[in-house]
Amino acid sequence: MKYILLMQFSAANADFPSIDTWTPEEIRAHIGFMREVNAKLAADGEFVQGEGLGGPQQARIVRAGENGAPVVTEGPFAETKEFLAGWWIVDCETPQRAVEIAAHISTAPGPGGRPLNMPIEVHPVMSAPSQEL
């Protein structure tokens, strides 16, 4: 079963400064941890895909306007207190294993090497409906 793990950042619940204030060594440790997670998941046959995402100032919200033309709302979003920071798709034997992976990812190091304990949402990835539908 495939699961998507969504790393959320919440300024309201974070007890650490934003990543743009971290030292280069802290950033390298954080990224190194993520690379190690991906390599271990790949070695275990559980890694499907994963990526970090740009911040909310780089995001765009798109809706269909008249005749389906895109209507784009651009950042920066000063009022944004929560945003999606990254994601993984994993292929696990059990939902419990997806939760274990999410808990480990939550321990990514931040300033001073302390675990960030960022919330990770775990969602099953739905399969296509049967041909009868």
Side-chain angles (χ1 to χ4, degrees):
M1 177 78 181
K2 290 182 182 168
Y3 297 87
I4 188 165
L5 312 177
L6 303 172
M7 177 180 271
Q8 300 287 332
F9 174 79
S10 171
N13 297 326
D15 63 350
F16 54 88
S18 65
I19 198 166
D20 61 337
T21 66
W22 298 8
T23 67
E25 294 80 21
E26 291 167 338
I27 292 171
R28 279 193 292 276
H30 183 78
I31 292 171
F33 174 90
M34 295 302 178
R35 287 183 177 145
E36 288 173 15
V37 165
N38 294 348
K40 172 86 168 82
L41 291 171
D44 291 345
E46 296 174 316
F47 184 80
V48 176
Q49 192 173 17
E51 297 291 338
L53 299 174
Q57 68 278 11
Q58 298 169 307
R60 304 294 177 259
I61 296 173
V62 180
R63 290 186 173 86
E66 191 170 325
N67 297 320
V71 176
V72 180
T73 305
E74 299 185 10
F77 305 106
E79 72 282 2
T80 299
K81 302 225 182 321
E82 296 180 352
F83 63 89
L84 186 59
W87 56 273
W88 292 258
I89 296 178
V90 296
D91 194 350
C92 305
E93 292 293 322
T94 67
Q96 293 80 10
R97 176 63 184 142
V99 168
E100 289 170 2
I101 295 168
H104 179 65
I105 291 170
S106 180
T107 69
R114 289 188 0 252
L116 295 176
N117 295 322
M118 291 177 69
I120 310 292
E121 290 185 29
V122 178
H123 296 265
V125 175
M126 304 302 291
S127 60
S130 66
Q131 295 295 333
E132 294 84 45
L133 298 178

